[in-house]
Amino acid sequence: MKIWGRDNSGNVKKTLWTAEELGQDVEYIHAGGKHGGLDNPEFLKRNPNGKVPLLEDGSFYLWESNVIVRYLAAQYGKGSLWIENPAERASAEKWMDWTSNSVAPHFRTIIQHGLRLPEEQRDAKLLAQSVAELSKVLKIAEAHLGENEWMSGKSFGIGDIPLGVNLYLWFGMQLDRPSMPNLERWYQQLQARPAYRHRVMTTIE
């Protein structure tokens, strides 16, 4: 199994974390960002979007990070990450799409103006606004975790993975964020997982 990506991509981290949770040996190929290679014709044959991550599993190629997570769980996670009951599985999976649609857009602004842009290009007002808006969104997860041990329900699952990647930066960056005890408890549980520490808790950059 091969995964193409760059170390500071949250979407790449999702796939590497999932594969490691499932005990899969992965050849990690640096691509994108400073590594380049996304405009290579051979890469574009595998992913015409020219983006990472890209999964190669035997002769099968797959792009889109949430789909890769679902595929890995279905293919290699029977009895663990894969949930057989359709209703229970959908209840977990909805948090994946919720993270992509409701959390990630605010995070992109926070990362740019709180971390990656040169100081003179950062907009403190925009950063504060995005933190406030994301705090409102995260109250939904906070309420859910008040009644459930994991985003996926009773057990750790694929519903925890996208938000778990984002929340590493949320708690790791110097932000004026409100206290959310349930999210903080859940984040501590994630940190106890070796695969999370290895694949997600890398240098914040």
Side-chain angles (χ1 to χ4, degrees), residues 129-148:
Q129 179 183 344
S130 295
V131 170
E133 291 173 352
L134 182 54
S135 297
K136 292 179 183 178
V137 172
L138 289 177
K139 288 180 180 179
I140 298 172
E142 171 72 7
H144 175 73
L145 290 167
E147 299 178 354
N148 298 272

Side-chain angles (χ1 to χ4, degrees), residues 109 111-123:
T109 301
I111 291 170
Q112 288 299 313
H113 291 273
L115 187 64
R116 291 184 180 159
L117 286 174
E119 290 282 351
E120 65 275 10
Q121 296 180 24
R122 297 181 187 181
D123 187 328

Side-chain angles (χ1 to χ4, degrees), residues 143-164:
H144 175 73
L145 290 167
E147 299 178 354
N148 298 272
E149 185 173 0
W150 298 95
M151 294 303 296
S152 299
K154 296 179 181 178
S155 303
F156 170 80
I158 57 177
D160 296 273
I161 288 173
L163 188 61

Side-chain angles (χ1 to χ4, degrees), residues 62-153:
L62 188 63
W63 36 269
E64 290 297 335
S65 59
N66 281 356
V67 178
I68 293 172
V69 171
R70 291 180 172 107
Y71 165 76
L72 291 172
Q75 185 78 324
Y76 301 105
K78 300 295 172 61
S80 58
L81 290 187
W82 181 248
I83 303 171
E84 293 292 345
N85 182 283
E88 292 179 3
R89 185 170 67 249
S91 292
E93 286 185 322
K94 72 175 183 285
W95 294 109
M96 302 176 71
D97 296 335
W98 174 81
T99 299
S100 295
N101 295 326
S102 299
V103 174
H106 297 302
F107 244 109
R108 281 192 284 272
T109 301
I110 291 169
I111 291 170
Q112 288 299 313
H113 291 273
L115 187 64
R116 291 184 180 159
L117 286 174
E119 290 282 351
E120 65 275 10
Q121 296 180 24
R122 297 181 187 181
D123 187 328
K125 184 177 180 180
L126 182 58
L127 174 62
Q129 179 183 344
S130 295
V131 170
E133 291 173 352
L134 182 54
S135 297
K136 292 179 183 178
V137 172
L138 289 177
K139 288 180 180 179
I140 298 172
E142 171 72 7
H144 175 73
L145 290 167
E147 299 178 354
N148 298 272
E149 185 173 0
W150 298 95
M151 294 303 296
S152 299

